Amino acid sequence: MNFIDQLNAAWRSNDSLLCVGLDPDVARLPAHLQGRPDGIVEFCKAIIDATADLACAFKPQIAYFAALGAEDQLEAVCRYLADRYPHIPLILDAKRGDIGATARQYAREAFDRYGAHAVTVNPYMGFDSVEPYMEWEDRGVIVLCRTSNAGGSDLQFLDVGGQPLYQHVARLVAEKWNRNGQCALVVGATFPEELAQVRRIVGDMPLLVPGIGAQGGDIEATVKAGRTAGGAGMMINSSRAILYAQPQGGEDFAQAARRVALETRDAINAHRA
């Protein structure tokens, strides 16, 4: 099963467009996990177990592991997902951007080392920086388009032949780059009008949508702007709001994460029809 098929199956089986981001900040781990050599792994495993039936994808952010020299723990988290939840897509959030042989090594890192079903990439260096990832035809290539940060407008709104650059990227990916049908785009929830523009350009192509939760994106506006006619087409990511949910009424951290993930999934589903 390729990435797109797997994603479609996860949307249906878990009735969910929620992507759970795995951004483990050691300063915010529960007290009993801080200082443990396996603390990050145990934290992520608990979050995964608590939310696996509510998510259409999991998205570990590589920087939170690499900054600590904890790539071995990222490998362990990815193995855990592959062993326990092979039906749920694993997206490696790496935002790689380089050319030729170097891009191919980054692809090997994502797909062979970590076993990711998809990886985020930066299109700034053009098609030959994205093409090496497409050699793995069963994997997803998720291209940055309209990012959720305010500074994204510095470049993404530059005029390119009468259209903003982010729309030019969306058309390039949809009309020229997506030769194997394996591409998706990153479009932030913080800009629902631009999200709607991208959806009109790319048809039913999947969109990875960061920006709800801690970043403040509006769920209703996001879903209405980005959903497909079938009420799917999106991986709406929430990371910190779920990972570091405040426990209530005797909950532990994983139970709190599950509660917020369930609330988020249900809030998304309320606007899918």
Side-chain angles (χ1 to χ4, degrees), residues 75-148:
E75 288 186 64
V77 170
C78 293
R79 282 197 304 270
Y80 187 77
L81 279 164
D83 292 342
R84 294 289 297 273
Y85 306 103
H87 59 292
I88 300 180
L90 164 59
I91 299 167
L92 185 68
D93 194 357
K95 301 181 179 72
R96 300 303 195 199
D98 215 315
I99 58 174
T102 304
R104 189 165 290 105
Q105 297 308 308
Y106 280 136
R108 289 184 59 201
E109 173 194 44
F111 299 141
D112 293 344
R113 180 180 183 185
Y114 295 117
H117 300 111
V119 63
T120 57
V121 300
N122 192 320
Y124 188 76
M125 297 181 74
F127 181 64
D128 60 336
S129 70
V130 175
E131 187 176 23
Y133 298 89
M134 297 179 176
E135 295 174 8
W136 284 258
E137 294 186 9
D138 61 332
R139 310 300 172 94
V141 183
I142 307 178
V143 181
L144 297 180
C145 179
R146 179 63 173 123
T147 56
S148 59

Side-chain angles (χ1 to χ4, degrees), residues 3-106:
F3 168 67
I4 301 298
D5 291 338
Q6 188 179 27
L7 181 58
N8 275 299
W11 282 331
R12 291 191 301 269
S13 63
N14 282 357
D15 189 26
S16 178
L17 305 184
L18 174 65
C19 174
V20 175
L22 300 175
D23 302 1
D25 182 346
V26 292
R28 301 183 70 178
L29 297 185
H32 71 282
L33 294 178
Q34 291 193 11
R36 284 179 47 172
D38 62 347
I40 292 176
V41 174
E42 292 306 310
F43 176 75
C44 290
K45 286 167 63 175
I47 296 292
I48 291 165
D49 289 340
T51 61
D53 63 325
L54 305 173
C56 70
F58 286 101
K59 182 179 71 64
Q61 165 51 255
I62 195 170
Y64 282 85
F65 298 85
L68 303 172
E71 290 91 343
D72 58 335
Q73 295 198 59
L74 176 56
E75 288 186 64
V77 170
C78 293
R79 282 197 304 270
Y80 187 77
L81 279 164
D83 292 342
R84 294 289 297 273
Y85 306 103
H87 59 292
I88 300 180
L90 164 59
I91 299 167
L92 185 68
D93 194 357
K95 301 181 179 72
R96 300 303 195 199
D98 215 315
I99 58 174
T102 304
R104 189 165 290 105
Q105 297 308 308
Y106 280 136

Side-chain angles (χ1 to χ4, degrees), residues 18 22 38 46 49 65 67 86 97 102-103 133 152-153 156 163 173 192 199 220 224 262:
L18 174 65
L22 300 175
D38 62 347
D49 289 340
F65 298 85
T102 304
Y133 298 89
S153 299
Q156 293 159 19
Q163 63 181 336
V173 175
R199 175 55 73 203
E220 179 179 1
K224 288 183 176 180
L262 178 60

Side-chain angles (χ1 to χ4, degrees), residues 136-212:
W136 284 258
E137 294 186 9
D138 61 332
R139 310 300 172 94
V141 183
I142 307 178
V143 181
L144 297 180
C145 179
R146 179 63 173 123
T147 56
S148 59
N149 61 309
S153 299
D154 294 346
L155 295 178
Q156 293 159 19
F157 257 74
L158 292 177
D159 184 272
V160 180
Q163 63 181 336
L165 178 59
Y166 80 89
Q167 292 184 19
H168 179 68
V169 170
R171 286 191 171 87
L172 269 179
V173 175
E175 297 172 6
K176 295 184 178 181
W177 294 6
N178 194 25
R179 298 179 303 189
N180 300 321
Q182 67 196 107
C183 289
L185 293 174
V186 176
V187 185
T190 44
F191 303 105
E193 291 183 8
E194 285 93 87
L195 177 58
Q197 291 280 0
V198 171
R199 175 55 73 203
R200 284 191 283 271
I201 290 168
V202 303
D204 288 346
M205 180 181 290
L207 303 179
L208 174 61
V209 184
I212 66 165

